[in-house]
Amino acid sequence: MINSPICSNSVLERDINNHLDSGCSEHKFILDSLRGPRLCPHTKDESTSKLAPIFSQSKPSDISNLPSEAAEEFALAPFKKRKIDISSPSQFPSSNPKRSNGLTSAVTAASAPLAERLRPRSLCEFVGQKHLTGPGSLLMDMLESGNLGSIIFWGPPGCGKTTLARLLATEANCTLKELSATSAGINDVRGVFEEAKGRLVMTGRKTILFLDEIHRFNKSQQDIFLPYIERGLIQMIGATTENPSFKLTGALISRCRVFVLERLTDEDMRGIVSGAMERVSHMDKELQGISSVEKQTSGSRGSVRDSVYKAGESSSGEHLYPSYPQLTNHIILSIISLSAGDARTALSLLELTLASKKDIEGEKLRASLAQSVSTSYDRTGESHYDMISALHKCVRGSQGSAAMYWLARMLTAGEDPVYIARRMVVCASEDIGLADNHGLPLAMATLHACQQLGMPECRINLAHLVAYLSEAPKSTRAYEAYSRAEEAAKLDPTLPVPMVMRNAPTMLMKELGYSKGYRYNPSYAHPVHNDYSPLPFRDKILKGAEDMSDKLWDEDALLEWERECNGGRPWSGRPANSS
C-alpha cells in the first residue's frame, strides 16, 4: 500500500498507474477503524474535490492572455511526452512548490563546485577572450544583429567555452538546451530538435543547443545536425578541445562559424581569482548577517575584469584576505602557475585553499596544491602531435637541450616510448641521412630496446638517441632525391625502360635488342656510361653533397642565429665577401 502523490489516498502499488490515469477516482482505499482498509466506492466528484487546485483547473482555451513562459509550455505540450515515474518524487508538486523549489535550488547551489557557483552572470563579468567579447568583434556584431547562427568554440579546457555559450543564449533571449556528447545520443538530440521546432512554430522563440565535447560524436552522428541547421530551426553552439578540421565533418564545419578561444593569460587568471575572492567575501558577509554589505562594497563595485589584483602592491607574507590568512600572494601565484590558463583548475585550487586550515604552512599548502593537479595529455589529441613535432624539429635544428625537454615532457606524461622511437627512426634517415650513416642503426637499436625493455629503463636509450641525432651532421639529400623522383614518376608513368637497361633472359629478347650494349661496370678499370634512365630526368634526381643550388640564403635569419645561438660570432661557413 502506498499513498497517491496527487490526492494522498491509499492505493495498492500495482494499481497506482491506473489510479493516476483515472484522475484519482478509482482504486482508492480508506481506513476503517472497524473493518480495516477497504476499497473506496467510485465517487468521482469527491475525488476531484480533494485534488490540489493545479489539477482541478481546466486548460485555458486562449493562450494570448497567459504569461510568456506559461504560453510557451502550453504550446509545447503536444511536442513533449508525458512520463510519470513514482520513484521520482520530484515529478509531483509538493504542498508548497515555491518553498520546495527554492530549497532544492539552494541545496544544489551549495553542493556545486566553486567554479560552477562563480560562473559569470553577464558578458561584462566574462574574463579573457577579448578578441571575441570586445567591442567591434565579429561575435559581438553577430549578437547585436540578432543573427548569431551556429558556432563551434574551439579551445583548451577551462577557457570559457561553456560559460560564453550560456551568456550568448541569455543575451540573445533564446531558450538554451545543453547536452554533452559524452553521454547523449542521437535520440536525445532529435528530441531537442523536435521541441525546438515546435517552440519556433508556436511561440516564435529560437532555441540554442549547446553540445559540449561535440568531437565525441562520430561523422554519421554529426550528420543529424545538417538539415535542422540549414533550415534555421535551431542554432547550435558546439564546444571542442580538438581541432575541428580533424574531428568534425566538412559539411558541418561549412554550416558553422569556428571561433578559437585562447588559453587564459596570467593577468586573466589573476582577475578570475581576485573576482572569485570578492564574491566569496561578499557571500561570507551575507552569511554573517552583515546588513551594510552594499555600503562596504560600493567602492569595489564593477566588472570582474577590472578587479585585477596587482602583485606588487603586497608583500608575500601579508594577509590579503583577513578571513583566509592562508591565501597569501605566493599562494595566489602558485595557483596561477599550476592552473596553466585553466580557469576551472584555478578555482578548484582556490576552493582547496579556502578549505585548508588557516594556520597551514605556505610550503606545505603549495606542495599539496601541486600534487592535486594532474598533467593533461591525450595520446590521440592535438598535444600528442604537437609535442612529437616539436621533438623532431628540435633534432633537425641541432637543438639538443630543447629536444631533450620535449622528450621528457612526453615520457613523463605517459607517451608510448615505442611511438617516439619510431619517429626517430624516420628522423635518422630524413634529416641525418647520408651525413652520418650510423644514425639509422642506432635508431633501430633504440626501437628494439624500447620494445624489449619498456619504461622506465628505455628512457635512457631514447635520451642517447635524441642526443646523438641532435649533434650529428645533417643531410636531406636522400629524402629530397626521392621526393623529386616521385614527382618525375608521376609526370609520365608511360616512359619505357631504355633497351640497354632491360633484362634479357631468353634468346628472343636478346634478338630484339634487350640489354644490347650494356657495359657491366665491375668489368672495367674506369667509369663507363650507360643509359640508366629516361633522357628528361637524367642526372636531375640525386644531387651532389656540395650542390647548394636549391638552398635559400636568408641574411636576416642568419644574423638572428648568430645573435641568439652563436654568441654574436659570425658563422664559420659565411662566405668571405658576405657582411
Side-chain angles (χ1 to χ4, degrees), residues 360-382:
I360 188 173
E361 296 181 2
E363 291 297 329
K364 184 177 180 181
L365 179 57
R366 276 196 291 271
S368 299
L369 294 177
Q371 291 176 355
S372 68
V373 178
S374 61
T375 304
S376 175
Y377 186 81
D378 184 2
R379 286 190 181 185
T380 61
E382 190 173 4

Side-chain angles (χ1 to χ4, degrees), residues 346-519:
L347 292 177
S348 298
L349 294 175
L350 178 62
E351 188 173 18
L352 291 175
T353 301
L354 301 183
S356 63
K357 295 182 179 179
K358 298 184 184 300
D359 58 348
I360 188 173
E361 296 181 2
E363 291 297 329
K364 184 177 180 181
L365 179 57
R366 276 196 291 271
S368 299
L369 294 177
Q371 291 176 355
S372 68
V373 178
S374 61
T375 304
S376 175
Y377 186 81
D378 184 2
R379 286 190 181 185
T380 61
E382 190 173 4
S383 60
H384 163 82
Y385 298 103
D386 288 343
M387 288 191 187
I388 195 66
S389 174
L391 171 62
H392 192 152
K393 290 175 180 176
C394 290
V395 171
R396 179 184 296 149
S398 300
Q399 298 298 313
S401 298
M404 204 67 68
Y405 168 78
W406 292 117
L407 173 66
R409 276 285 299 272
M410 285 189 287
L411 291 178
T412 55
E415 182 57 82
D416 182 7
V418 175
Y419 170 76
I420 301 175
R422 287 172 177 166
R423 184 62 175 259
M424 290 297 97
V425 170
V426 176
C427 179
S429 289
E430 177 183 345
D431 297 293
I432 286 80
L434 298 174
D436 188 344
N437 292 320
H438 297 291
L440 182 58
L442 178 60
M444 291 302 299
T446 304
L447 174 60
H448 181 70
C450 290
Q451 292 170 335
Q452 296 299 318
L453 297 179
M455 286 289 287
E457 289 82 3
C458 70
R459 76 189 192 283
I460 304 173
N461 306 105
L462 283 171
H464 177 191
L465 175 62
V466 167
Y468 182 89
L469 297 182
S470 297
E471 296 181 354
K474 307 297 188 294
S475 172
T476 58
R477 289 172 58 212
Y479 171 71
E480 292 176 353
Y482 179 79
S483 297
R484 286 190 289 267
E486 186 177 41
E487 182 180 357
K490 292 179 180 179
L491 287 177
D492 188 355
T494 63
L495 288 177
V497 177
M499 294 294 288
V500 70
M501 289 289 104
R502 298 185 186 187
N503 186 29
T506 67
M507 184 60 65
L508 176 60
M509 290 182 175
K510 290 181 180 179
E511 292 176 356
L512 293 175
Y514 282 45
S515 192
K516 183 179 181 179
Y518 173 66
R519 299 182 179 94

Side-chain angles (χ1 to χ4, degrees), residues 315-330:
S315 63
S316 61
E318 183 180 348
H319 295 160
L320 306 176
Y321 304 97
S323 299
Y324 302 98
Q326 70 272 35
L327 188 63
T328 62
N329 184 37
H330 277 172

Side-chain angles (χ1 to χ4, degrees), residues 13-80:
E13 183 175 356
R14 69 171 184 268
D15 297 328
I16 184 63
N17 287 333
N18 294 331
H19 171 73
L20 294 175
D21 291 339
S22 67
C24 299
S25 62
E26 298 178 359
H27 303 284
K28 293 188 301 181
F29 276 77
I30 59 174
L31 293 177
D32 192 312
S33 59
L34 297 177
R35 293 182 291 176
R38 60 187 178 86
L39 185 64
C40 181
H42 179 71
T43 54
K44 186 173 183 179
D45 295 337
E46 179 184 357
S47 64
T48 305
S49 63
K50 291 183 180 181
L51 294 179
I54 187 173
F55 297 101
S56 61
Q57 291 176 355
S58 60
K59 296 182 179 179
S61 58
D62 184 9
I63 66 173
S64 60
N65 296 325
L66 293 176
S68 58
E69 295 182 0
E72 181 177 319
E73 289 299 321
F74 180 80
L76 291 177
F79 298 93
K80 295 183 178 180

